[in-house]
């Protein structure tokens, strides 16, 4: 049942039932299991947030935010594996009529799972703060430093101090001021 299939070692297309039993059925069982438990957790969190309690409300809010980020991982699985599943079903029903678009969607989405998982992980406030600090350090090394904020919700002003060659300084010695525009 295993052999060279489209340049890869995979379950051959002459055995579509084995493909489903060994890969797609377990995959969708795990996804279903995850979603069922997410629903149970949502009910539990709803009960926690809508009753008077002695627990710290900021702690409950933090747990709810963590839960929603955690709930995105199964969504990533569904988004990434739905095109492949549809393609395999189509190939089983109509093996002589492959659809190029389905193959492309399967290749793109299957390969993007790591990217989407990293984006979900990057939604963490701690990770965002760490990346922001690392980015500021990097900008500091190339000559861009942060100045005071314009207002409580206004854009930060960035003072660009150019690294100038010995003969390249202007007469006034002024640094250029850049204010990012809100999008």
């Amino acid at each position: 049942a295993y052999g060279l299939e489209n340049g890869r070692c995979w379950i051959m297309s002459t055995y579509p039932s084995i493909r489903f039993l060994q890969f797609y059925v377990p995959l969708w069982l795990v996804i279903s299991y995850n979603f069922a438990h997410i629903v149970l957790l949502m009910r539990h969190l709803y009960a926690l947030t809508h009753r008077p309690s002695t627990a710290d409300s900021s702690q409950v809010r933090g747990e709810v935010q963590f839960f929603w980020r955690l709930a995105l991982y199964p969504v990533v699985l569904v988004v990434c594996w739905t095109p492949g599943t549809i393609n395999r079903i189509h190939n089983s029903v109509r093996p002589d009529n492959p659809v190029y678009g389905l193959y492309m969607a399967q290749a793109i989405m299957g390969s993007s799972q790591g990217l989407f998982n990293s984006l979900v992980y990057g939604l963490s406030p701690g990770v965002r703060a760490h990346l922001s600090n690392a980015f500021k350090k990097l900008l500091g090394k190339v000559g861009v430093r942060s100045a005071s904020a314009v207002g409580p919700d206004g854009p930060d002003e960035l003072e660009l101090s150019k690294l100038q060659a010995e003969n390249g300084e202007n007469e006034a010695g002024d640094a250029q001021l850049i204010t990012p525009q809100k999008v």
Side-chain angles (χ1 to χ4, degrees):
Y2 293 97
L4 191 62
E5 184 71 20
N6 295 326
R8 296 185 277 177
C9 181
W10 184 237
I11 302 166
M12 297 176 66
S13 59
T14 54
Y15 299 97
S17 59
I18 294 176
R19 280 186 179 180
F20 283 103
L21 290 175
Q22 289 189 348
F23 185 75
Y24 290 101
V25 169
L27 172 74
W28 287 101
L29 285 174
V30 167
I31 290 172
S32 300
Y33 175 85
N34 285 339
F35 273 111
H37 281 83
I38 285 172
V39 169
L40 292 174
L41 282 171
M42 284 173 48
R43 288 181 183 166
H44 179 71
L45 286 173
Y46 182 82
L48 280 177
T49 57
H50 287 84
R51 70 170 190 199
S53 95
T54 58
D56 183 18
S57 63
S58 65
Q59 180 184 2
V60 172
R61 275 194 306 261
E63 290 173 0
V64 170
Q65 287 174 347
F66 173 74
F67 165 74
W68 283 114
R69 198 176 69 245
L70 192 63
L72 289 175
Y73 286 107
V75 172
V76 168
L77 279 174
V78 169
V79 168
C80 290
W81 285 104
T82 297
T85 305
I86 292 170
N87 189 31
R88 292 299 176 209
I89 291 170
H90 180 267
N91 288 343
S92 298
V93 174
R94 303 185 84 192
D96 297 333
N97 189 16
V99 177
Y100 180 74
L102 285 176
Y103 279 101
M104 288 301 297
Q106 178 181 0
I108 291 169
M109 296 310 292
S111 300
S112 299
Q113 184 174 353
L115 170 68
F116 293 146
N117 282 336
S118 69
L119 291 175
V120 169
Y121 180 77
L123 293 175
S124 156
V127 171
R128 281 194 310 248
H130 179 73
L131 290 174
S132 175
N133 289 336
F135 188 66
K136 286 178 185 175
K137 284 181 184 179
L138 177 67
L139 288 177
K141 287 182 180 183
V142 296
V144 178
R145 54 190 161 89
S146 184
S148 64
V150 172
D153 55 14
D156 285 336
E157 292 180 351
L158 294 177
E159 186 179 328
L160 219 157
S161 54
K162 295 182 180 179
L163 300 175
Q164 300 172 341
E166 291 179 64
N167 297 333
E169 281 190 41
N170 60 8
E171 293 178 18
D174 292 334
Q176 189 178 3
L177 192 64
I178 297 177
T179 304
Q181 300 295 319
K182 283 191 175 182
V183 181

